[in-house]
Amino acid sequence: MEKIGVEDKIIAGYRPISASLDRYYLSHPRFALMLIVAGYLIAATIFAVVTPDWQNPDEPAHYNNIAHIAEGRGLPVLRHGDYDQDYLSALVSGRFPPHLSIAPLRYEAYQPPLYYLVAAPVFLLSGGDLLILRLFNVLLGAISLALLYACLETVFPAKTLLTVGAVAFTAFLPMHVAMSASVNNDGLAELLLLAAMLTLLRWMKRRFHRASEVALSMSSLEWQNLLLLGVLLGLGMATKIYAYLAMPLIAGMVLLTVWLAPSAHLDQPSMRPTRRSFVQGWKAVLWVSLPALLLVAPLWMRNVALYGPTDLLGLQMHDAVVIGQPTTAEWIEREGVVSYIERGLDFTFRSFWGVFGWMGVFMDTRVYVLLLVFTGALMLGLLWALVRFICGRPEADMDRYQFWVLGFFAVMILAVLAGFVGYNLKFVQHQGRYLFWGLLPISAFVALAWRELMQPLQGKLTGMMAVVLAAALVIADLRVDMMDRWTMLAIGLFGLMLMLQPLLLFGSVDAIVIGAPTFIQRILEQERWQPALRTARVLIWASPFLALFLLNLVIPFRYIQPQLGG
């Protein structure tokens, strides 16, 4: 049979590869998941073992909460004097010397108690061993990775680059690994929130794929799922306060899904919303909200009794106790608004990727520059994806359910940012780790953007931009010493990789690689080159995640131990 050439493809047209791109890279996603979880366990265990005692943000205060419960003294109560800024500064600056006890650090006593109740048996069995408690949190993080994968596999079963990429990013984000290997209540809260999201996404999928004539009805299984969703949300709210922000988001999505009764298929019109579907939607919201609120109502009553009639969450008491913690108003008055914003953007970016210890251990500046370039490439990837979605089918390669979930993820990220900004309007807390409760949507968009850059045209254009940037930096560096030359070389190589990666698709996919010489195409389409090209495709796609994994292996020994070790 005569082979179709590039020119014939241009004349005859070809099917976009966006819908089938993933199978040319990952054919065994669950095996990849196991490798990622194993890599996470290795990296997180190294962090847990190498990081000196108490050298994680607020770790002593969380540990004291567990000890308070394990020793049979009931739930912790926040009191005036539980936060001493001078004493805390002496501990941190002195690297927690043995003669200074951590016992006075009790300023996390206002936190919801579920994590501390769950960790108390581990405390008792281990005799209060800090490393064992850290490893307990590492285990919680591994379970969370499996739940995150299940969430995205539910929504994007055929887009393995998205599902596996999101898990890999979450597993190897250095700051997240460090926090997962320390004693805090974030690990259990993330786990419960991911379990709630999985329940929501599976329930939504069934609703979207139901026949339109029965869309208004709700099966007993669906009501049970909503009840389970409410219980998981309530448990999350009993673990970490940011779960309260997730509650209205999830309730709103439940309402819209039942009220508007959308169909997953873009070519099938959704049902017209009615008063009956609106009432049914609010009924579904009650099935989610009531169990959640009932679970945390006893905590509210306790907080009211302890801290006052308007302090349901203990936050007012917390604000009154943490005297000496830098406030935003004081900072702006002293440094100015512009300085505050500059510091906020810079420190938030760095601490999202990794600033360790008590926010005092930085990585090499070159690492942050490369991460900034990678972030810029991801932004371009999201832009390419948005353009493709606007073009509609067949380029969009998603159904209505998947678009709704992406929209929900975008709203969730806005809520995460709003919560972060709101907290920083009161206290100076430019810590990127406070964004981690939104890692499900953040990692989904990261993986979506990187997947988009694996598209032949999008990857080539983005690579060209990176090469041009590297060249411009080299030229500028000839006049002014702007940047480390190894960093410029890395940026150029990154761009070159993106420019050349479409060549690896030859022989596997019926697509045009614009600008590729015909003789190169003929060579690479030969069968003998296919195994090598397949391996190279996987390595290029996995390269940022492999780089983050290797960075995790380096950080404890190159940055944390030398700066914080005894």
Side-chain angles (χ1 to χ4, degrees), residues 207-243:
R207 295 291 301 176
F208 271 76
H209 287 86
R210 293 187 68 184
S212 59
E213 60 269 14
V214 295
L216 287 179
S217 62
M218 292 270 283
S219 67
S220 60
L221 178 60
E222 288 181 288
W223 291 116
Q224 292 171 16
N225 287 340
L226 292 177
L227 183 64
L228 174 61
L229 176 57
V231 170
L232 290 170
L233 272 177
L235 293 175
M237 292 156 66
T239 305
K240 191 80 176 179
I241 289 176
Y242 62 56

Side-chain angles (χ1 to χ4, degrees), residues 365-367 369-370 373 463 465-496:
T365 302
R366 292 170 293 184
V367 175
V369 172
L370 292 175
V373 172
M465 294 179 192
V467 170
V468 169
L469 172 63
L473 290 172
V474 169
I475 294 172
D477 190 66
L478 295 176
R479 298 178 60 88
V480 181
D481 189 12
M482 293 184 60
M483 186 181 295
D484 177 79
R485 294 184 179 181
W486 285 106
T487 305
M488 292 186 284
L489 177 62
I491 294 172
L493 292 175
F494 174 73
L496 194 62

